[in-house]
Amino acid sequence: GGNAAKTVTQEVRWVTSENQKRSQIESILREQEPPIIVFCNQKGTCDQVSKWLDSIDHSSTVIHGSKVQEHRMENLGMFKDG
């Protein structure tokens, strides 16, 4: 248990400042093919990151506990579909 699917590449980048975080996300977006998952430690941060990604022309969606289950499932389906 706990292993990624064979078609999934996992990469962890440890950063401490907001500037480093955004820089690393932008780097990943240039280097990797979508879909890409970005994990955040707070619901509000998820929403902020999604808004920022949209502002730099990268479509995004948010899945967290404050979203209704139907919305989360729809977003997860969109992610799986690419």
Side-chain angles (χ1 to χ4, degrees), residues 16-47:
T16 56
S17 74
E18 287 303 313
N19 286 339
Q20 286 178 326
K21 291 175 186 178
R22 289 183 181 216
S23 175
Q24 288 296 312
I25 291 171
E26 289 175 324
S27 174
I28 292 166
L29 291 169
R30 284 190 302 273
E31 298 167 4
Q32 303 295 323
E33 291 291 321
I36 297 167
I37 298 176
V38 177
F39 289 94
C40 303
N41 64 351
Q42 296 179 342
K43 296 172 192 174
T45 304
C46 293
D47 294 330

Side-chain angles (χ1 to χ4, degrees), residues 7 12 19 39 57 59-60 80:
T7 58
V12 176
N19 286 339
F39 289 94
D57 295 325
S59 63
S60 65
K80 287 179 179 178

Side-chain angles (χ1 to χ4, degrees), residues 38-51 61-68 72:
V38 177
F39 289 94
C40 303
N41 64 351
Q42 296 179 342
K43 296 172 192 174
T45 304
C46 293
D47 294 330
Q48 291 171 357
V49 169
S50 179
K51 186 175 181 179
T61 189
V62 176
I63 302 171
H64 60 59
S66 291
K67 304 290 182 186
V68 294
R72 292 194 311 253

